[in-house]
Amino acid sequence: MIDLRSDTVTRPSSAMKDAMMAAPVGDDVWGDDPTVNAFQANLAEQAGKEAALLFPSGTQSNLVALMAHCERGDEYIVGQSAHTYRYEGGGAAVLGSIQPQPIENAADGSLPLEKISAAIKADDFHFARTKLLALENTIGGKVLPADYVLKATELARERGLATHLDGARLFNAAVATETSLKQLCLPFDSVSLCFSKGMGTPIGSALVGSQALIDRARRWRKVVGGGMRQSGIIAAACQYALDHHMADLADDHRRAARLAEGLARLPGVEITSQATNMVFAHFPDEHVQPLSAWLKEHGILIELLYATRLVAHRDISDEDIDKVTAVMEAYFSRHG
Ligand SMILES: Cc1ncc(COP(=O)(O)O)c(C=O)c1O
């Protein structure tokens, strides 16, 4: 199948599996896994932070970051469209007793500074304590403008808030803007990075930040059941991706742009946005169901029923992109 539903659908390559098989391991809850320790040290260095901590998922890494920054009765400012707010089961509130203060995202994914400012509560016992600003980069595939990130994090700092970045796809942002990971992480107190998206591992995310923050995060990770044992097999996959896969993200971005160009030629199809490895498109309502079925018949998986997002990733080739466009053209030439 040509699966464009997400960049999470990639399968580990045999070279990555070899690296996982060969990894020396130990019990990481005891701090004994040499592969985990080396990966965490290496990633911290690349991200320009004091320490890093491996997680099974980005959801857990974000949740634990929020719990490490905030206490019961604190609140965090977050975008309405942010993954941490919208797609993580309300974990901050459910498991962290942290109140989200959502703000409507602007079209470029940013949170307008005046809205952030207005949402910060006064120090008054009637209010939850505003403790944290959480941003996401990339968001909907879009890279947050660098000057915006500096202004937003400066505002947060001036008002006494900590800052967290959901950088599930920060590697895409780094490649798209030719900016180092370190530079993109610099404005934030903590950053969650995912390896199981465009980077192609079967599992694995990591949180980076100060040693004190990571120490608190390690405690919360254990509490939420994320303390893993011989997790060197995961760290080996993440290290392999870091060493070998990051530059390939440029190919995903190029393929997404090429896909958007192909789709834009179809009758009635509107590209609502294309950035990094994602294409968002609007298909005429009457075609959604039959086109979905047609594509599936031709070995193509696309989520058409909700917001139509097509995602390029390392298991999608140039030929796949051309096939998707050709199969769609064939559909529209019959039904257009
Ligand atoms: C922006 C963003 N953050 C966090 C996550 C959560 O990652 P995971 O699926 O590993 O829990 C995702 C997952 O798709 C995501 O897209």
Side-chain angles (χ1 to χ4, degrees):
M1 287 304 238
I2 299 173
D3 192 344
L4 292 163
R5 292 172 302 167
S6 177
D7 49 9
T8 56
V9 301
T10 56
R11 307 249 186 343
S13 65
S14 42
M16 180 180 279
K17 285 193 258 188
D18 287 346
M20 296 168 79
M21 294 280 282
V25 292
D27 188 333
D28 181 53
V29 173
W30 292 87
D32 286 350
D33 192 303
T35 308
V36 171
N37 292 340
F39 165 69
Q40 289 177 165
N42 198 351
L43 182 65
E45 156 94 38
Q46 282 203 34
K49 301 290 185 205
E50 284 174 8
L53 191 64
L54 180 68
F55 284 84
S57 71
T59 299
Q60 194 178 78
S61 175
N62 277 325
L63 170 66
V64 163
L66 298 180
M67 292 170 84
H69 282 294
C70 301
E71 292 175 8
R72 182 170 189 233
D74 290 347
E75 87 175 353
Y76 79 115
I77 295 176
V78 63
Q80 283 279 2
S81 322
H83 204 276
T84 51
Y85 173 64
R86 195 160 179 175
Y87 300 108
E88 293 179 9
V94 175
L95 300 169
S97 300
I98 303 161
Q99 168 170 281
Q101 169 59 70
I103 288 178
E104 202 67 46
N105 293 84
D108 66 358
S110 66
L111 303 180
L113 298 180
E114 63 284 1
K115 289 193 183 165
I116 295 176
S117 203
I120 299 171
K121 313 274 192 296
D123 183 8
D124 176 319
F125 66 74
H126 291 89
F127 303 134
R129 292 170 300 244
T130 316
K131 274 285 175 63
L132 179 72
L133 171 67
L135 299 178
E136 184 174 315
N137 196 13
T138 61
I139 178 159
K142 293 175 186 167
V143 180
L144 284 181
D147 61 333
Y148 164 76
V149 169
L150 289 180
K151 283 186 194 143
T153 51
E154 199 176 293
L155 166 66
R157 245 187 316 280
E158 275 169 16
R159 303 288 298 271
L161 310 190
T163 52
H164 172 70
L165 180 70
D166 177 357
R169 295 184 180 82
L170 197 62
F171 296 110
N172 295 80
V175 168
T177 59
E178 297 181 353
T179 309
S180 68
L181 188 65
K182 193 179 272 186
Q183 191 69 26
L184 293 174
C185 290
L186 188 64
F188 295 93
D189 296 311
S190 61
V191 181
S192 173
L193 298 160
C194 286
F195 292 85
S196 60
K197 314 248 155 28
M199 296 286 272
T201 71
I203 179 172
S205 291
L207 183 67
V208 296
S210 68
Q211 188 63 58
L213 181 107
I214 294 298
D215 289 345
R216 292 200 296 280
R218 190 186 304 279
R219 167 173 278 275
W220 283 121
R221 185 185 66 170
K222 189 78 181 89
V223 172
V224 298
M228 298 179 286
R229 301 297 175 175
Q230 287 70 32
S231 41
I233 56 168
I234 300 171
C238 297
Q239 185 63 56
Y240 184 89
L242 209 48
D243 294 340
H244 301 282
H245 287 179
M246 194 168 156
D248 296 346
L249 295 173
D251 293 327
D252 299 346
H253 301 171
R254 182 177 51 73
R255 289 184 182 123
R258 183 183 169 113
L259 179 62
E261 277 169 31
L263 298 186
R265 290 197 293 270
L266 301 171
V269 177
E270 189 199 338
I271 303 301
T272 46
S273 97
Q274 192 281 303
T276 62
N277 64 334
M278 296 194 183
V279 182
F280 288 83
H282 179 75
F283 289 83
D285 288 345
E286 67 277 20
H287 290 305
V288 167
Q289 289 284 6
L291 177 60
S292 197
W294 170 266
L295 291 171
K296 206 164 178 182
E297 256 172 55
H298 290 82
I300 299 166
L301 286 179
I302 289 177
E303 178 54 74
L304 278 172
L305 299 179
Y306 305 103
T308 303
R309 185 185 74 163
L310 301 94
V311 188
H313 52 75
R314 55 185 306 103
D315 290 355
I316 298 289
S317 64
D318 286 329
E319 294 71 40
D320 291 338
I321 296 292
D322 291 343
K323 179 176 171 187
V324 172
T325 313
V327 169
M328 290 223 191
E329 275 167 0
Y331 170 88
F332 281 101
S333 69
R334 288 173 178 219
H335 304 96

PDB file of all heavy atoms in Angstrom, residues 6-8 56-62 81-84 87-88 136-140 166-169 192 194-197 203-205 278 309, ligand 1:
ATOM      1  N   SER A   6      -0.134   9.181   7.388  1.00  0.00           N
ATOM      2  CA  SER A   6       0.725   9.814   8.401  1.00  0.00           C
ATOM      3  C   SER A   6       2.166   9.400   8.158  1.00  0.00           C
ATOM      4  O   SER A   6       2.427   8.403   7.475  1.00  0.00           O
ATOM      5  CB  SER A   6       0.300   9.361   9.799  1.00  0.00           C
ATOM      6  OG  SER A   6       1.157   9.902  10.777  1.00  0.00           O
ATOM      7  N   ASP A   7       3.094  10.140   8.766  1.00  0.00           N
ATOM      8  CA  ASP A   7       4.500   9.728   8.720  1.00  0.00           C
ATOM      9  C   ASP A   7       4.829   8.760   9.870  1.00  0.00           C
ATOM     10  O   ASP A   7       5.980   8.384  10.066  1.00  0.00           O
ATOM     11  CB  ASP A   7       5.439  10.952   8.753  1.00  0.00           C
ATOM     12  CG  ASP A   7       5.089  11.930   9.857  1.00  0.00           C
ATOM     13  OD1 ASP A   7       4.235  11.610  10.714  1.00  0.00           O
ATOM     14  OD2 ASP A   7       5.684  13.029   9.880  1.00  0.00           O
ATOM     15  N   THR A   8       3.792   8.359  10.620  1.00  0.00           N
ATOM     16  CA  THR A   8       4.008   7.372  11.689  1.00  0.00           C
ATOM     17  C   THR A   8       3.919   5.938  11.169  1.00  0.00           C
ATOM     18  O   THR A   8       4.134   5.004  11.933  1.00  0.00           O
ATOM     19  CB  THR A   8       2.945   7.535  12.795  1.00  0.00           C
ATOM     20  OG1 THR A   8       1.651   7.425  12.180  1.00  0.00           O
ATOM     21  CG2 THR A   8       3.054   8.885  13.480  1.00  0.00           C
ATOM     22  N   PRO A  56       8.635   6.073  25.452  1.00  0.00           N
ATOM     23  CA  PRO A  56       8.053   5.232  24.408  1.00  0.00           C
ATOM     24  C   PRO A  56       7.277   6.041  23.374  1.00  0.00           C
ATOM     25  O   PRO A  56       7.222   5.664  22.209  1.00  0.00           O
ATOM     26  CB  PRO A  56       7.116   4.284  25.176  1.00  0.00           C
ATOM     27  CG  PRO A  56       6.923   4.893  26.520  1.00  0.00           C
ATOM     28  CD  PRO A  56       8.101   5.773  26.792  1.00  0.00           C
ATOM     29  N   SER A  57       6.650   7.145  23.797  1.00  0.00           N
ATOM     30  CA  SER A  57       5.805   7.906  22.847  1.00  0.00           C
ATOM     31  C   SER A  57       5.938   9.404  23.070  1.00  0.00           C
ATOM     32  O   SER A  57       6.339   9.862  24.150  1.00  0.00           O
ATOM     33  CB  SER A  57       4.332   7.507  23.021  1.00  0.00           C
ATOM     34  OG  SER A  57       3.848   8.019  24.258  1.00  0.00           O
ATOM     35  N   GLY A  58       5.527  10.150  22.042  1.00  0.00           N
ATOM     36  CA  GLY A  58       5.516  11.604  22.146  1.00  0.00           C
ATOM     37  C   GLY A  58       4.446  12.075  23.119  1.00  0.00           C
ATOM     38  O   GLY A  58       4.618  13.087  23.808  1.00  0.00           O
ATOM     39  N   THR A  59       3.344  11.359  23.173  1.00  0.00           N
ATOM     40  CA  THR A  59       2.274  11.724  24.103  1.00  0.00           C
ATOM     41  C   THR A  59       2.797  11.681  25.540  1.00  0.00           C
ATOM     42  O   THR A  59       2.566  12.601  26.332  1.00  0.00           O
ATOM     43  CB  THR A  59       1.088  10.736  23.949  1.00  0.00           C
ATOM     44  OG1 THR A  59       0.609  10.830  22.607  1.00  0.00           O
ATOM     45  CG2 THR A  59      -0.031  11.046  24.914  1.00  0.00           C
ATOM     46  N   GLN A  60       3.538  10.614  25.859  1.00  0.00           N
ATOM     47  CA  GLN A  60       4.050  10.502  27.226  1.00  0.00           C
ATOM     48  C   GLN A  60       5.147  11.541  27.497  1.00  0.00           C
ATOM     49  O   GLN A  60       5.219  12.099  28.594  1.00  0.00           O
ATOM     50  CB  GLN A  60       4.567   9.094  27.484  1.00  0.00           C
ATOM     51  CG  GLN A  60       4.786   8.839  28.960  1.00  0.00           C
ATOM     52  CD  GLN A  60       5.249   7.429  29.233  1.00  0.00           C
ATOM     53  OE1 GLN A  60       6.412   7.121  29.041  1.00  0.00           O
ATOM     54  NE2 GLN A  60       4.343   6.581  29.664  1.00  0.00           N
ATOM     55  N   SER A  61       5.962  11.797  26.498  1.00  0.00           N
ATOM     56  CA  SER A  61       7.031  12.779  26.666  1.00  0.00           C
ATOM     57  C   SER A  61       6.438  14.176  26.925  1.00  0.00           C
ATOM     58  O   SER A  61       6.866  14.909  27.814  1.00  0.00           O
ATOM     59  CB  SER A  61       7.903  12.762  25.409  1.00  0.00           C
ATOM     60  OG  SER A  61       8.865  13.748  25.450  1.00  0.00           O
ATOM     61  N   ASN A  62       5.402  14.548  26.152  1.00  0.00           N
ATOM     62  CA  ASN A  62       4.730  15.832  26.375  1.00  0.00           C
ATOM     63  C   ASN A  62       4.065  15.884  27.747  1.00  0.00           C
ATOM     64  O   ASN A  62       4.191  16.873  28.479  1.00  0.00           O
ATOM     65  CB  ASN A  62       3.641  16.062  25.308  1.00  0.00           C
ATOM     66  CG  ASN A  62       4.201  16.629  24.015  1.00  0.00           C
ATOM     67  OD1 ASN A  62       5.150  17.420  24.027  1.00  0.00           O
ATOM     68  ND2 ASN A  62       3.607  16.249  22.898  1.00  0.00           N
ATOM     69  N   SER A  81      -5.259  23.974  18.448  1.00  0.00           N
ATOM     70  CA  SER A  81      -4.935  22.897  17.513  1.00  0.00           C
ATOM     71  C   SER A  81      -3.730  22.092  17.949  1.00  0.00           C
ATOM     72  O   SER A  81      -3.307  21.205  17.215  1.00  0.00           O
ATOM     73  CB  SER A  81      -4.603  23.465  16.127  1.00  0.00           C
ATOM     74  OG  SER A  81      -5.407  24.530  15.799  1.00  0.00           O
ATOM     75  N   ALA A  82      -3.163  22.412  19.096  1.00  0.00           N
ATOM     76  CA  ALA A  82      -1.928  21.726  19.504  1.00  0.00           C
ATOM     77  C   ALA A  82      -2.204  20.274  19.861  1.00  0.00           C
ATOM     78  O   ALA A  82      -3.240  19.950  20.450  1.00  0.00           O
ATOM     79  CB  ALA A  82      -1.305  22.436  20.699  1.00  0.00           C
ATOM     80  N   HIS A  83      -1.255  19.428  19.512  1.00  0.00           N
ATOM     81  CA  HIS A  83      -1.408  18.000  19.812  1.00  0.00           C
ATOM     82  C   HIS A  83      -1.582  17.778  21.304  1.00  0.00           C
ATOM     83  O   HIS A  83      -2.443  17.013  21.734  1.00  0.00           O
ATOM     84  CB  HIS A  83      -0.190  17.232  19.289  1.00  0.00           C
ATOM     85  CG  HIS A  83      -0.481  15.794  19.014  1.00  0.00           C
ATOM     86  ND1 HIS A  83      -0.448  14.843  19.992  1.00  0.00           N
ATOM     87  CD2 HIS A  83      -0.846  15.156  17.874  1.00  0.00           C
ATOM     88  CE1 HIS A  83      -0.759  13.671  19.458  1.00  0.00           C
ATOM     89  NE2 HIS A  83      -1.003  13.838  18.172  1.00  0.00           N
ATOM     90  N   THR A  84      -0.796  18.464  22.129  1.00  0.00           N
ATOM     91  CA  THR A  84      -0.859  18.250  23.591  1.00  0.00           C
ATOM     92  C   THR A  84      -2.244  18.570  24.138  1.00  0.00           C
ATOM     93  O   THR A  84      -2.672  17.971  25.122  1.00  0.00           O
ATOM     94  CB  THR A  84       0.149  19.135  24.352  1.00  0.00           C
ATOM     95  OG1 THR A  84      -0.014  20.467  23.915  1.00  0.00           O
ATOM     96  CG2 THR A  84       1.565  18.709  24.118  1.00  0.00           C
ATOM     97  N   TYR A  87      -5.150  16.253  21.020  1.00  0.00           N
ATOM     98  CA  TYR A  87      -5.077  14.855  20.580  1.00  0.00           C
ATOM     99  C   TYR A  87      -4.398  13.930  21.596  1.00  0.00           C
ATOM    100  O   TYR A  87      -3.914  12.875  21.234  1.00  0.00           O
ATOM    101  CB  TYR A  87      -4.319  14.765  19.247  1.00  0.00           C
ATOM    102  CG  TYR A  87      -4.962  15.540  18.119  1.00  0.00           C
ATOM    103  CD1 TYR A  87      -4.386  16.714  17.642  1.00  0.00           C
ATOM    104  CD2 TYR A  87      -6.148  15.099  17.540  1.00  0.00           C
ATOM    105  CE1 TYR A  87      -4.973  17.431  16.605  1.00  0.00           C
ATOM    106  CE2 TYR A  87      -6.740  15.807  16.498  1.00  0.00           C
ATOM    107  CZ  TYR A  87      -6.144  16.971  16.037  1.00  0.00           C
ATOM    108  OH  TYR A  87      -6.724  17.676  15.011  1.00  0.00           O
ATOM    109  N   GLU A  88      -4.299  14.376  22.848  1.00  0.00           N
ATOM    110  CA  GLU A  88      -3.619  13.514  23.815  1.00  0.00           C
ATOM    111  C   GLU A  88      -4.541  13.168  24.980  1.00  0.00           C
ATOM    112  O   GLU A  88      -4.114  13.035  26.134  1.00  0.00           O
ATOM    113  CB  GLU A  88      -2.284  14.155  24.241  1.00  0.00           C
ATOM    114  CG  GLU A  88      -1.330  14.179  23.043  1.00  0.00           C
ATOM    115  CD  GLU A  88       0.047  14.804  23.272  1.00  0.00           C
ATOM    116  OE1 GLU A  88       0.401  15.101  24.421  1.00  0.00           O
ATOM    117  OE2 GLU A  88       0.750  14.992  22.261  1.00  0.00           O
ATOM    118  N   GLU A 136       4.157  24.360  19.428  1.00  0.00           N
ATOM    119  CA  GLU A 136       4.382  23.138  18.628  1.00  0.00           C
ATOM    120  C   GLU A 136       5.075  23.524  17.321  1.00  0.00           C
ATOM    121  O   GLU A 136       4.659  24.471  16.656  1.00  0.00           O
ATOM    122  CB  GLU A 136       3.020  22.485  18.346  1.00  0.00           C
ATOM    123  CG  GLU A 136       3.100  21.165  17.614  1.00  0.00           C
ATOM    124  CD  GLU A 136       1.718  20.520  17.502  1.00  0.00           C
ATOM    125  OE1 GLU A 136       0.953  20.485  18.493  1.00  0.00           O
ATOM    126  OE2 GLU A 136       1.385  20.058  16.396  1.00  0.00           O
ATOM    127  N   ASN A 137       6.114  22.778  16.948  1.00  0.00           N
ATOM    128  CA  ASN A 137       6.884  23.101  15.742  1.00  0.00           C
ATOM    129  C   ASN A 137       7.478  21.806  15.170  1.00  0.00           C
ATOM    130  O   ASN A 137       8.245  21.148  15.894  1.00  0.00           O
ATOM    131  CB  ASN A 137       8.016  24.074  16.107  1.00  0.00           C
ATOM    132  CG  ASN A 137       8.623  24.766  14.897  1.00  0.00           C
ATOM    133  OD1 ASN A 137       8.064  24.726  13.810  1.00  0.00           O
ATOM    134  ND2 ASN A 137       9.765  25.388  15.110  1.00  0.00           N
ATOM    135  N   THR A 138       7.113  21.421  13.963  1.00  0.00           N
ATOM    136  CA  THR A 138       6.179  22.051  13.065  1.00  0.00           C
ATOM    137  C   THR A 138       4.753  21.826  13.567  1.00  0.00           C
ATOM    138  O   THR A 138       4.501  20.900  14.340  1.00  0.00           O
ATOM    139  CB  THR A 138       6.279  21.444  11.629  1.00  0.00           C
ATOM    140  OG1 THR A 138       5.957  20.039  11.686  1.00  0.00           O
ATOM    141  CG2 THR A 138       7.664  21.596  11.077  1.00  0.00           C
ATOM    142  N   ILE A 139       3.843  22.676  13.080  1.00  0.00           N
ATOM    143  CA  ILE A 139       2.430  22.494  13.438  1.00  0.00           C
ATOM    144  C   ILE A 139       1.626  22.459  12.144  1.00  0.00           C
ATOM    145  O   ILE A 139       1.720  23.383  11.334  1.00  0.00           O
ATOM    146  CB  ILE A 139       1.969  23.573  14.446  1.00  0.00           C
ATOM    147  CG1 ILE A 139       0.481  23.400  14.760  1.00  0.00           C
ATOM    148  CG2 ILE A 139       2.317  25.004  14.006  1.00  0.00           C
ATOM    149  CD1 ILE A 139       0.045  24.052  16.072  1.00  0.00           C
ATOM    150  N   GLY A 140       0.900  21.368  11.923  1.00  0.00           N
ATOM    151  CA  GLY A 140       0.231  21.173  10.633  1.00  0.00           C
ATOM    152  C   GLY A 140       1.245  21.221   9.504  1.00  0.00           C
ATOM    153  O   GLY A 140       0.953  21.698   8.409  1.00  0.00           O
ATOM    154  N   ASP A 166       6.467  21.167  21.830  1.00  0.00           N
ATOM    155  CA  ASP A 166       6.203  19.861  21.257  1.00  0.00           C
ATOM    156  C   ASP A 166       6.900  19.866  19.899  1.00  0.00           C
ATOM    157  O   ASP A 166       6.376  20.393  18.913  1.00  0.00           O
ATOM    158  CB  ASP A 166       4.690  19.637  21.113  1.00  0.00           C
ATOM    159  CG  ASP A 166       4.373  18.302  20.446  1.00  0.00           C
ATOM    160  OD1 ASP A 166       5.328  17.588  20.049  1.00  0.00           O
ATOM    161  OD2 ASP A 166       3.176  17.972  20.308  1.00  0.00           O
ATOM    162  N   GLY A 167       8.088  19.286  19.889  1.00  0.00           N
ATOM    163  CA  GLY A 167       8.885  19.257  18.658  1.00  0.00           C
ATOM    164  C   GLY A 167       8.830  17.881  18.028  1.00  0.00           C
ATOM    165  O   GLY A 167       9.860  17.358  17.573  1.00  0.00           O
ATOM    166  N   ALA A 168       7.630  17.291  17.997  1.00  0.00           N
ATOM    167  CA  ALA A 168       7.477  15.954  17.406  1.00  0.00           C
ATOM    168  C   ALA A 168       8.120  15.920  16.014  1.00  0.00           C
ATOM    169  O   ALA A 168       8.714  14.924  15.628  1.00  0.00           O
ATOM    170  CB  ALA A 168       5.999  15.578  17.322  1.00  0.00           C
ATOM    171  N   ARG A 169       7.968  17.043  15.291  1.00  0.00           N
ATOM    172  CA  ARG A 169       8.557  17.119  13.932  1.00  0.00           C
ATOM    173  C   ARG A 169       9.556  18.270  13.840  1.00  0.00           C
ATOM    174  O   ARG A 169       9.664  18.921  12.797  1.00  0.00           O
ATOM    175  CB  ARG A 169       7.445  17.239  12.885  1.00  0.00           C
ATOM    176  CG  ARG A 169       6.569  15.992  12.827  1.00  0.00           C
ATOM    177  CD  ARG A 169       5.519  16.037  11.745  1.00  0.00           C
ATOM    178  NE  ARG A 169       4.730  14.816  11.753  1.00  0.00           N
ATOM    179  CZ  ARG A 169       3.707  14.570  12.572  1.00  0.00           C
ATOM    180  NH1 ARG A 169       3.325  15.495  13.445  1.00  0.00           N
ATOM    181  NH2 ARG A 169       3.061  13.412  12.525  1.00  0.00           N
ATOM    182  N   SER A 192      10.157  18.240  23.377  1.00  0.00           N
ATOM    183  CA  SER A 192       9.880  16.821  23.124  1.00  0.00           C
ATOM    184  C   SER A 192      10.133  16.533  21.651  1.00  0.00           C
ATOM    185  O   SER A 192       9.619  17.243  20.781  1.00  0.00           O
ATOM    186  CB  SER A 192       8.419  16.526  23.491  1.00  0.00           C
ATOM    187  OG  SER A 192       8.099  15.208  23.099  1.00  0.00           O
ATOM    188  N   CYS A 194      10.239  13.538  18.521  1.00  0.00           N
ATOM    189  CA  CYS A 194       9.771  12.188  18.167  1.00  0.00           C
ATOM    190  C   CYS A 194      10.659  11.579  17.092  1.00  0.00           C
ATOM    191  O   CYS A 194      11.013  12.239  16.120  1.00  0.00           O
ATOM    192  CB  CYS A 194       8.340  12.234  17.640  1.00  0.00           C
ATOM    193  SG  CYS A 194       7.127  12.516  18.915  1.00  0.00           S
ATOM    194  N   PHE A 195      10.942  10.310  17.255  1.00  0.00           N
ATOM    195  CA  PHE A 195      11.733   9.565  16.270  1.00  0.00           C
ATOM    196  C   PHE A 195      10.864   8.630  15.440  1.00  0.00           C
ATOM    197  O   PHE A 195      11.313   8.076  14.444  1.00  0.00           O
ATOM    198  CB  PHE A 195      12.853   8.783  16.990  1.00  0.00           C
ATOM    199  CG  PHE A 195      13.873   9.718  17.577  1.00  0.00           C
ATOM    200  CD1 PHE A 195      13.677  10.278  18.827  1.00  0.00           C
ATOM    201  CD2 PHE A 195      14.978  10.108  16.851  1.00  0.00           C
ATOM    202  CE1 PHE A 195      14.583  11.188  19.349  1.00  0.00           C
ATOM    203  CE2 PHE A 195      15.884  11.021  17.357  1.00  0.00           C
ATOM    204  CZ  PHE A 195      15.689  11.561  18.613  1.00  0.00           C
ATOM    205  N   SER A 196       9.609   8.440  15.885  1.00  0.00           N
ATOM    206  CA  SER A 196       8.726   7.468  15.217  1.00  0.00           C
ATOM    207  C   SER A 196       7.852   8.128  14.158  1.00  0.00           C
ATOM    208  O   SER A 196       6.884   7.535  13.698  1.00  0.00           O
ATOM    209  CB  SER A 196       7.853   6.786  16.267  1.00  0.00           C
ATOM    210  OG  SER A 196       7.082   7.774  16.933  1.00  0.00           O
ATOM    211  N   LYS A 197       8.185   9.365  13.767  1.00  0.00           N
ATOM    212  CA  LYS A 197       7.432  10.035  12.686  1.00  0.00           C
ATOM    213  C   LYS A 197       8.349   9.978  11.443  1.00  0.00           C
ATOM    214  O   LYS A 197       8.766   8.906  11.068  1.00  0.00           O
ATOM    215  CB  LYS A 197       7.064  11.454  13.119  1.00  0.00           C
ATOM    216  CG  LYS A 197       6.502  11.506  14.548  1.00  0.00           C
ATOM    217  CD  LYS A 197       5.078  11.865  14.645  1.00  0.00           C
ATOM    218  CE  LYS A 197       4.331  11.403  15.855  1.00  0.00           C
ATOM    219  NZ  LYS A 197       4.959  11.172  17.121  1.00  0.00           N
ATOM    220  N   ILE A 203       9.331   3.144  17.354  1.00  0.00           N
ATOM    221  CA  ILE A 203       8.913   3.631  18.676  1.00  0.00           C
ATOM    222  C   ILE A 203       9.994   4.606  19.143  1.00  0.00           C
ATOM    223  O   ILE A 203      11.129   4.530  18.679  1.00  0.00           O
ATOM    224  CB  ILE A 203       8.757   2.430  19.668  1.00  0.00           C
ATOM    225  CG1 ILE A 203       8.355   2.874  21.071  1.00  0.00           C
ATOM    226  CG2 ILE A 203      10.022   1.595  19.754  1.00  0.00           C
ATOM    227  CD1 ILE A 203       7.996   1.712  22.004  1.00  0.00           C
ATOM    228  N   GLY A 204       9.640   5.501  20.034  1.00  0.00           N
ATOM    229  CA  GLY A 204      10.681   6.322  20.661  1.00  0.00           C
ATOM    230  C   GLY A 204      10.526   7.822  20.479  1.00  0.00           C
ATOM    231  O   GLY A 204      10.378   8.318  19.371  1.00  0.00           O
ATOM    232  N   SER A 205      10.533   8.509  21.613  1.00  0.00           N
ATOM    233  CA  SER A 205      10.555   9.972  21.669  1.00  0.00           C
ATOM    234  C   SER A 205      11.538  10.328  22.773  1.00  0.00           C
ATOM    235  O   SER A 205      11.948   9.462  23.545  1.00  0.00           O
ATOM    236  CB  SER A 205       9.171  10.520  22.023  1.00  0.00           C
ATOM    237  OG  SER A 205       8.282  10.304  20.953  1.00  0.00           O
ATOM    238  N   MET A 278       3.831  17.757   4.683  1.00  0.00           N
ATOM    239  CA  MET A 278       2.360  17.618   4.722  1.00  0.00           C
ATOM    240  C   MET A 278       1.655  18.431   3.651  1.00  0.00           C
ATOM    241  O   MET A 278       2.050  19.554   3.357  1.00  0.00           O
ATOM    242  CB  MET A 278       1.838  18.070   6.082  1.00  0.00           C
ATOM    243  CG  MET A 278       2.341  17.203   7.201  1.00  0.00           C
ATOM    244  SD  MET A 278       1.421  17.472   8.697  1.00  0.00           S
ATOM    245  CE  MET A 278       2.360  16.369   9.774  1.00  0.00           C
ATOM    246  N   ARG A 309      -5.466  15.176   4.950  1.00  0.00           N
ATOM    247  CA  ARG A 309      -4.033  15.432   5.117  1.00  0.00           C
ATOM    248  C   ARG A 309      -3.292  14.301   4.434  1.00  0.00           C
ATOM    249  O   ARG A 309      -3.571  13.128   4.678  1.00  0.00           O
ATOM    250  CB  ARG A 309      -3.722  15.441   6.619  1.00  0.00           C
ATOM    251  CG  ARG A 309      -2.301  15.814   6.942  1.00  0.00           C
ATOM    252  CD  ARG A 309      -2.029  15.689   8.426  1.00  0.00           C
ATOM    253  NE  ARG A 309      -1.910  14.282   8.834  1.00  0.00           N
ATOM    254  CZ  ARG A 309      -1.364  13.873   9.967  1.00  0.00           C
ATOM    255  NH1 ARG A 309      -0.923  14.758  10.838  1.00  0.00           N
ATOM    256  NH2 ARG A 309      -1.284  12.587  10.263  1.00  0.00           N
TER     257      ARG A 309
HETATM  258  C1  LIG B   1       2.624  17.107  16.871  1.00  0.00           C
HETATM  259  C2  LIG B   1       2.557  15.799  17.600  1.00  0.00           C
HETATM  260  N1  LIG B   1       2.918  15.758  18.886  1.00  0.00           N
HETATM  261  C3  LIG B   1       2.879  14.623  19.601  1.00  0.00           C
HETATM  262  C4  LIG B   1       2.455  13.445  19.032  1.00  0.00           C
HETATM  263  C5  LIG B   1       2.352  12.211  19.878  1.00  0.00           C
HETATM  264  O1  LIG B   1       3.227  11.227  19.510  1.00  0.00           O
HETATM  265  P1  LIG B   1       2.922   9.677  19.810  1.00  0.00           P
HETATM  266  O2  LIG B   1       1.981   9.225  18.743  1.00  0.00           O
HETATM  267  O3  LIG B   1       4.269   9.050  19.754  1.00  0.00           O
HETATM  268  O4  LIG B   1       2.316   9.594  21.166  1.00  0.00           O
HETATM  269  C6  LIG B   1       2.072  13.423  17.687  1.00  0.00           C
HETATM  270  C7  LIG B   1       1.613  12.161  17.045  1.00  0.00           C
HETATM  271  O5  LIG B   1       1.244  12.099  15.905  1.00  0.00           O
HETATM  272  C8  LIG B   1       2.125  14.640  16.959  1.00  0.00           C
HETATM  273  O6  LIG B   1       1.739  14.686  15.668  1.00  0.00           O
END
